[in-house]
Amino acid sequence: MNVQGRHYRTIWVEGEGAQAVLRIIDQTVLPHEFRIIDLHSVAEVCRAIREMWVRGAGLIGATAAYGVWLAAREAEHLSAEEFRVRMAMSMEALRVTRPTASNLVWALKRQQSALEGLHGAAATAAAFAEAQTIADEDAEFCRRIGEHGKGIIEAIAAKKPGQPVNILTHCNAGWLAFVDHGSALSPIYAAFDAGIPVHVWVDETRPRNQGASLTAWELGQHGVPHSLIADNTGGHLMQHGMVDMVITGADRVTRCGDAANKIGTYLKALAAADNGVPFYIALPSSTFDFALRDGVREIPIEERSADEVRVMTGALQDEEGTTEQGATSAEAPRTASVLICPESTPARNWAFDVTPARLISGLITERGVCPASEEGVLGLYPEQK
Ligand code: MRU
């Protein structure tokens, strides 16, 4: 994807051998600053995932895969047995950074197989190659999701000539959440690039505001028409015929089609069902957890710090509503955090909820679109029967 005319992936490697560094875009400072961070060790990678410098199912998986490469490089000098023990510890440290997205464990399993029986420089080389393959696959699968989802948008556009297709999305499942293209936003980019008129309703997505700070930013970079709305607005828009479809991403989807996604997605799905608005989930196969059937009972839901609910961060504005710039024009705007409740108010912060398959019109995957049911999913992925 392009940022100010230059192509970026969300994660990449620069340099060679022992000097090579892993680069990421710090998503905690967007949209006010575009900052690139270098990661040198598996400990730094764990921190980047846990503290959400990187986030989104696909990107979490790719980052963990590169984390295994850095862990192997750090342990290159160890004997075969010491290497095996150290790598098991590093993989466990990566695994526990965030519990909900399937892609994390999926990427670690891929790396485990790639490293089977290896240690020393051969292991580092194998882990690097596998991380690159995982990143390339993620980008390519998201591109294909865009192609498959574009057909659905095109069909709606054909029924309302001359008017934009209004699509509601929740959280950020764009290129920032993957290595490139995104899942939920990929069909929107593909439709927009093909000249189909689209307009996106962007849920702000409390408490971390991924919609306001990330989705609005990346849609703006691509020139896609969009409007930011408060999280509770979607139902009202649907009642008034102002939403043609909903597309969200997912962090984990069971073999029966139940989908965990950012907290609040379930309420949008209920409103969509009540108003006859098609509700799609877009995901690459790395987000399926084929071992699970019942998402509400079985998908682990991350609970994060209460302060993410109690405190909000943003750019400072003066009394006229103008954003306060940094000391020089090249510097990012000044930001600040503010407490939005009484000092002593306790809060709870579940990061995800599960939308049952019965509320989902279809799953948009890299292999095509299928019904959200075991039959539908296994029709596309027969090897998982
Ligand atoms: O907590 P995050 O920001 O890592 O949340 C994950 C998400 O970005 C969303 O739930 C998204 O819709 C699915 S991940 C592509």
Side-chain angles (χ1 to χ4, degrees):
M1 272 293 163
N2 288 344
V3 180
Q4 283 149 12
R6 185 178 155 192
H7 180 265
Y8 285 91
R9 278 185 167 190
T10 52
I11 189 162
W12 67 99
V13 173
E14 272 184 33
E16 301 273 316
Q19 302 333 314
V21 291
L22 184 59
R23 297 224 145 120
I24 56 160
I25 297 164
D26 180 357
Q27 299 195 23
T28 62
V29 294
L30 282 170
H32 306 299
E33 187 181 346
F34 186 74
R35 185 193 290 165
I36 291 166
I37 295 186
D38 289 355
L39 303 176
H40 305 91
S41 66
V42 64
E44 287 179 6
V45 168
C46 288
R47 180 163 179 220
I49 299 174
R50 197 171 40 246
E51 296 184 11
M52 293 174 67
W53 305 352
V54 292
R55 30 122 337 261
L59 181 55
I60 289 172
T63 307
Y66 282 112
V68 174
W69 159 58
L70 291 176
R73 192 173 71 179
E74 286 164 48
E76 218 178 271
H77 60 286
L78 298 177
S79 70
E81 180 52 18
E82 286 167 342
F83 180 83
R84 193 189 60 73
V85 172
R86 173 79 73 84
M87 289 308 288
M89 284 164 60
S90 295
M91 293 228 193
E92 182 57 13
L94 286 162
R95 189 187 67 77
V96 298
T97 50
R98 298 206 58 197
T100 301
S102 281
N103 306 57
L104 175 56
V105 170
W106 170 88
L108 294 177
K109 281 188 185 150
R110 289 250 323 226
Q111 282 289 30
Q112 228 160 6
S113 310
L115 291 179
E116 193 76 55
L118 298 176
H119 73 287
T124 306
F128 180 70
E130 188 65 3
Q132 296 279 58
T133 304
I134 286 172
D136 290 346
E137 253 178 45
D138 182 88
E140 172 57 17
F141 284 10
C142 284
R143 190 194 65 74
R144 290 187 209 167
I145 287 170
E147 284 309 308
H148 295 303
K150 182 180 79 174
I152 302 171
I153 300 175
E154 214 164 15
I156 296 173
K159 291 189 196 140
K160 46 182 311 198
Q163 295 175 66
V165 178
N166 286 302
I167 304 165
L168 185 141
T169 194
H170 190 70
C171 196
N172 173 263
W175 70 276
L176 286 167
F178 288 85
V179 174
D180 206 348
H181 304 287
S183 57
L185 296 193
S186 187
I188 295 171
Y189 289 131
F192 176 80
D193 291 346
I196 300 166
V198 291
H199 167 261
V200 185
W201 297 112
V202 179
D203 281 350
E204 59 179 343
T205 319
R206 286 279 293 140
R208 296 278 299 213
N209 292 319
Q210 289 95 330
S213 57
L214 304 177
T215 300
W217 180 79
E218 62 162 276
L219 288 173
Q221 289 292 324
H222 201 87
V224 179
H226 61 281
S227 309
L228 180 65
I229 52 173
D231 275 340
N232 304 325
T233 311
H236 168 75
L237 297 180
M238 291 181 207
Q239 284 175 326
H240 291 274
M242 294 165 75
V243 181
D244 295 302
M245 69 187 298
V246 180
I247 316 181
T248 77
D251 297 272
R252 193 186 292 225
V253 175
T254 68
R255 66 190 287 123
C256 299
D258 295 342
N261 192 49
K262 184 53 58 188
I263 192 82
T265 305
Y266 172 48
L267 289 176
K268 296 299 168 319
L270 284 173
D274 194 43
N275 290 282
V277 173
F279 182 98
Y280 287 92
I281 295 272
L283 73 155
S285 46
S286 47
T287 300
F288 279 109
D289 186 339
F290 292 105
L292 303 189
R293 309 183 69 84
D294 181 336
V296 176
R297 281 171 194 275
E298 295 176 284
I299 296 178
I301 300 295
E302 176 180 12
E303 188 172 354
R304 297 183 60 87
S305 160
D307 277 344
E308 291 184 354
V309 178
R310 290 161 33 91
V311 175
M312 284 182 85
T313 303
L316 286 168
Q317 295 217 307
D318 64 20
E319 279 166 14
E320 270 90 54
T322 307
T323 303
E324 288 185 18
Q325 286 305 314
T328 68
S329 59
E331 272 182 38
R334 292 174 54 216
T335 56
S337 297
V338 292
L339 180 69
I340 60 164
C341 60
E343 182 77 54
S344 60
T345 300
R348 299 286 299 269
N349 181 16
W350 288 274
F352 302 96
D353 60 24
V354 174
T355 299
R358 66 173 186 280
L359 298 175
I360 300 169
S361 311
L363 303 173
I364 309 171
T365 78
E366 79 276 4
R367 292 196 188 171
V369 183
C370 71
S373 64
E374 186 168 26
E375 205 184 7
V377 170
L378 298 184
L380 282 187
Y381 297 94
E383 70 276 20
Q384 300 293 338
K385 274 184 187 162

